[in-house]
Amino acid sequence: MAEGQKTIEIEVLRYHPENDTEPHAQVFEIPFTDDMSVLQGVQYIKDHLDGSLSFRWSCRMAICGSCGMMINGVPSLSCQTFLRDYYPARVRVEALAHFPIERDLVVNMEGFIEKLESIQPYIIPREARTLSEGEYLQTPEQLGAYEQFSSCINCLLCYAACPQFGLNSRFVGPAALALLHRYNADSRDGGKAERMELVNSEDGVFNCTAVGYCSEVCPKHVDPANAVNQNKTNSAIDYFLRFLAPKGGAR
Amino acid sequence: MKPTLKRSNAPIFWALFGAGGMLSALIGPMLVFITGLAVPLGLLLPADTMSYAHVLAFARNWAGKAFILAVIALFLWHAAHRIFHSLHDVGVHAGTGAKLVCYGLALVGTVIAAWALLAVGF
C-alpha cells in the first residue's frame, strides 16, 4: 500500500464448512478511494489479501442480481453500494439473511429456485394461436398491469428483508409471488387458476403481514409487497366466491 | 410431482380483520371522542346524549343493534388477528393454540354482544 493511502476496514462474515463449526467475523483493511463499491472492496480482499474468500458477482451494474449481501445489516446489492457512504467507519458484510450459508458470502438458493419453478414463470397461452394468426396484441393498459412486476432480477434481497420468510421458509415469498402476479396479470396468460392454488395455499400470500421492507430494499422497484397484497384480495375473493364460480373455482 | 397444497382458511380471518380495521379507522376516533370526551365533559353534545333511556332505545332499534354488533365484533376480530400475528413476530409460534385463544376470545365477545343485544329486546 502506498504511503498516505486512505484505508477502510471491511468486516466479513466467514464460513468454510470444512473447517468452521459456525460463521465468524474477519476484518480486512483495504485501500480506499471514493469511487469504490463494496463489491470492489471484497474483490480487493480476494485478489490481494485472502484468495479463499467466496462471493457471487457478475455484472457490476445492478442487472444480474448476483452480488446481494447484508451490508451493515441491510440487504443490498454490493455493486451499487459505495464504501464512501460509510468511510471512515468500518463496513460489515455478511451473507444474505434467512438463507443457509454455503460458504462465506455465498448462500444456498435451492429453496428459492424450487419456488421459482413452482409459480410457472412463463406465459401459459390463454388461447392457442398458429404462427399465421400472428402475434398476441396488447394495449398499453394491459402492459401496464404487469410490466413493473417483470423487472425482478432474482437477487433475493426481498427474502433477506422479509421477517415472515425468516420465520417460515416455506412461505413462497416476495419475489416469487411478484413474478407469479406478473404472469397472472398478463392478458395473454391463461394459467391463473393453476397459480392461484399456490397463492391460496398455507404457503401463500397470507403469510405476509404487510411489513413492506421487501419493496424498500428492491433495487429494481418491483414493489413485491404490492403484488402480494393485491393477491390477498384476489385470494379472498376466490375463497368466498369459489362456490358461485361456474367451475367451482380452484380446489 | 407437485405436492398437494392445502388451501389456507386465512381469508375468513383476514376479511374480518380488514372489515374491523376499516371500521375502526373510519369511526374509532369519533367514538372515543363522543363516548370518552364529549359526553363526560359536556362538550358540544346535549347532556343526556348517552343517558340510559337514550342508549336503551338505540340498542332496541334494529339499525342500532347492527351498529353496536358491528363495532364490538369487528373491532374484536381485528384485534385478535393483529395479536395473533404479533405473537408470531415476537417468537410465539403456538399455532393452533394461539389461534384458538385469539380468535376464540373474539368469537366469545361476538356471541356475548349478540346475546345481549337480543336480550334487551326490541
Side-chain angles (χ1 to χ4, degrees):
Chain A
M1 248 177 258
E3 195 68 31
Q5 167 74 56
K6 285 190 212 167
T7 64
I8 188 168
E9 286 181 334
I10 300 186
E11 177 185 324
V12 186
L13 192 71
R14 305 297 307 267
Y15 177 65
H16 284 188
E18 67 276 20
N19 302 323
D20 303 332
T21 49
E22 56 185 64
H24 58 93
Q26 188 178 357
V27 180
F28 297 92
E29 190 179 7
I30 62 157
F32 166 81
T33 53
D34 64 7
D35 58 353
M36 279 176 79
S37 63
V38 174
L39 177 62
Q40 282 174 291
V42 290
Q43 283 173 327
Y44 184 92
I45 297 171
K46 187 170 181 71
D47 292 346
H48 301 277
L49 304 175
D50 184 346
S52 74
L53 180 64
S54 299
F55 52 94
R56 290 193 177 106
W57 66 280
S58 179
C59 76
R60 296 158 289 140
M61 47 199 251
I63 295 292
C64 74
S66 310
C67 69
M69 303 170 188
M70 303 300 285
I71 300 176
N72 280 6
V74 178
S76 320
L77 290 183
S78 56
C79 66
Q80 63 169 11
T81 307
F82 286 86
L83 287 172
R84 60 172 176 264
D85 295 328
Y86 305 90
Y87 182 83
R90 177 191 284 184
V91 180
R92 184 163 43 90
V93 180
E94 299 158 302
L96 282 178
H98 306 154
F99 289 95
I101 300 178
E102 207 157 275
R103 190 177 185 84
D104 294 334
L105 302 171
V106 177
V107 295
N108 183 333
M109 294 179 65
E110 221 167 282
F112 173 70
I113 300 297
E114 279 167 20
K115 285 169 185 165
L116 202 56
E117 284 173 7
S118 73
I119 62 150
Q120 307 188 75
Y122 37 82
I123 288 175
I124 301 168
R126 184 185 287 269
E127 44 175 309
R129 283 168 82 107
T130 61
L131 268 182
S132 57
E133 288 174 287
E135 59 276 72
Y136 294 86
L137 295 179
Q138 242 174 1
T139 66
E141 286 73 29
Q142 288 171 327
L143 174 69
Y146 70 83
E147 191 178 21
Q148 164 198 6
F149 305 109
S150 69
S151 305
C152 176
I153 56 174
N154 302 332
C155 66
L156 305 185
L157 298 193
C158 54
Y159 284 80
C162 175
Q164 297 306 332
F165 175 67
L167 289 167
N168 172 19
S169 62
R170 290 178 56 86
F171 175 33
V172 178
L177 284 170
L179 201 59
L180 178 151
H181 183 68
R182 175 254 172 275
Y183 288 99
N184 275 0
D186 192 316
S187 60
R188 299 164 295 181
D189 183 89
K192 186 171 180 179
E194 284 174 58
R195 296 194 194 94
M196 282 310 283
E197 266 186 75
L198 196 59
V199 169
N200 298 335
S201 78
E202 291 193 334
D203 301 336
V205 286
F206 288 103
N207 284 277
C208 166
T209 52
V211 174
Y213 193 30
C214 53
S215 297
E216 222 173 283
V217 300
C218 177
K220 307 312 280 186
H221 309 293
V222 169
D223 199 355
N226 178 306
V228 172
N229 285 286
Q230 280 191 52
N231 280 293
K232 283 183 190 169
T233 311
N234 292 343
S235 178
I237 291 170
D238 188 76
Y239 187 88
F240 293 113
L241 299 187
R242 70 192 136 139
F243 304 112
L244 303 177
K247 276 180 278 177
R251 279 132 281 181
Chain B
M1 176 82 198
K2 223 168 46 168
T4 29
L5 296 165
K6 194 158 175 269
R7 187 191 263 271
S8 166
N9 58 15
I12 300 169
F13 303 107
W14 183 75
L16 287 164
F17 164 77
M22 171 82 85
L23 195 66
S24 61
L26 288 176
I27 66 168
M30 192 44 75
L31 273 180
V32 170
F33 176 73
I34 293 171
T35 59
L37 293 171
V39 171
L41 299 177
L43 304 168
L44 301 168
L45 298 166
D48 66 341
T49 301
M50 286 186 67
S51 67
Y52 183 76
H54 270 152
V55 175
L56 183 65
F58 184 73
R60 280 181 165 165
N61 181 287
W62 66 267
K65 282 188 203 296
F67 177 82
I68 294 171
L69 183 65
V71 165
I72 293 175
L74 292 178
F75 278 37
L76 277 174
W77 285 99
H78 180 83
H81 187 78
R82 198 166 277 266
I83 291 168
F84 176 62
H85 280 280
S86 302
L87 281 176
H88 181 67
D89 288 346
V90 296
V92 183
H93 313 307
T96 314
K99 217 173 197 170
L100 276 176
V101 172
C102 292
Y103 297 133
L105 283 174
L107 183 64
V108 168
T110 305
V111 170
I112 291 175
W115 173 80
L117 284 168
L118 290 174
V120 294
F122 292 84

